[in-house]
Amino acid sequence: ANALAAAGNNIIYAGGADGLISINLTSGEVDEYLLPWPSQIVGRIAVGSSGEIWVSNDADRLATFDGATWTPINTPFEGTIRAVEVDAATGMWWVGVGLAQDSGLVATYDGAWNTVQPFTAEVTTLTLDNSGQLWAGTWGEGIHLLQSNGEWTNFSLNEGLASRYVVSAAETDDAVWFGTAPTGSSGSVS
């Protein structure tokens, strides 16, 4: 699977090269879903505060699913959606994008798109910590933290990150963890 998301009620969504499924962990029931675009490849999955599922493909397509109907979301950028994250408190959707020439951006969606920050590296992962601060992992610039005052702070090798190439992120009650991919090795957790 390229992507996993827990939807509550013991339901897990999984997506990859063959499409999207949900797995009921209590009953073992598996449901398959036909995506609203020709390619059935799933790139990322996120679950919204109302239980809706947000799915991106392996390019620039994004759609929501309410359990019965898909709603495609037109994106204003030409790039690959690498990360999708929702702020449950505000309902704001965050999207990390890889653009051409090794650049990227973070954008928000609340019915309209807003580019929050362009980067000179692809944005590979996003996560919100328990205080609502957004962390953006990049391919070559390490980690960027959007603080509550709107300023971005960069963390890289000098701050103890194992590599500037960030591939994943996860938050716990008191920390944010990052998976990195140093050149020539299998990766590490910082």
Side-chain angles (χ1 to χ4, degrees):
N2 292 340
L4 295 171
N9 297 327
N10 261 350
I11 304 291
I12 297 287
Y13 284 87
D18 295 325
L20 178 69
I21 63 171
S22 66
I23 305 164
N24 183 315
L25 300 176
T26 304
S27 69
E29 181 180 346
V30 176
D31 291 317
E32 295 181 34
Y33 302 94
L34 185 64
L35 300 176
W37 44 72
S39 168
Q40 293 300 294
I41 297 172
V42 173
R44 299 290 179 258
I45 306 169
V47 178
S49 55
S50 302
E52 75 278 14
I53 307 304
W54 284 64
V55 176
S56 72
N57 68 352
D58 60 339
D60 62 351
R61 296 185 184 230
L62 184 65
T64 64
F65 183 65
D66 64 7
T69 304
W70 285 102
T71 303
I73 305 295
N74 292 324
T75 60
F77 37 78
E78 292 185 22
T80 302
I81 297 171
R82 303 269 186 217
V84 180
E85 181 73 33
V86 63
D87 184 338
T90 66
M92 179 76 67
W93 283 91
W94 297 86
V95 177
V97 180
L99 301 172
Q101 289 104 21
D102 297 323
S103 63
L105 62 85
V106 171
T108 59
Y109 183 79
D110 61 359
W113 286 102
N114 178 40
T115 298
V116 176
Q117 178 70 30
F119 292 101
T120 57
E122 289 190 28
V123 176
T124 55
T125 187
L126 297 172
T127 194
L128 288 160
D129 66 21
N130 287 337
S131 64
Q133 295 184 116
L134 181 75
W135 296 80
T138 66
W139 190 254
E141 286 185 356
I143 301 162
H144 296 268
L145 168 63
L146 178 58
Q147 298 180 21
S148 56
N149 65 3
E151 297 292 321
W152 288 87
T153 301
N154 178 249
F155 299 92
S156 193
L157 301 175
N158 290 339
E159 290 77 27
L161 193 61
S163 167
R164 294 187 319 265
Y165 300 94
V166 180
V167 295
S168 60
E171 73 281 354
T172 62
D173 288 340
D174 59 356
V176 178
W177 294 86
F178 298 94
T180 60
T183 303
S185 74
S186 62
S188 60
V189 176
S190 297

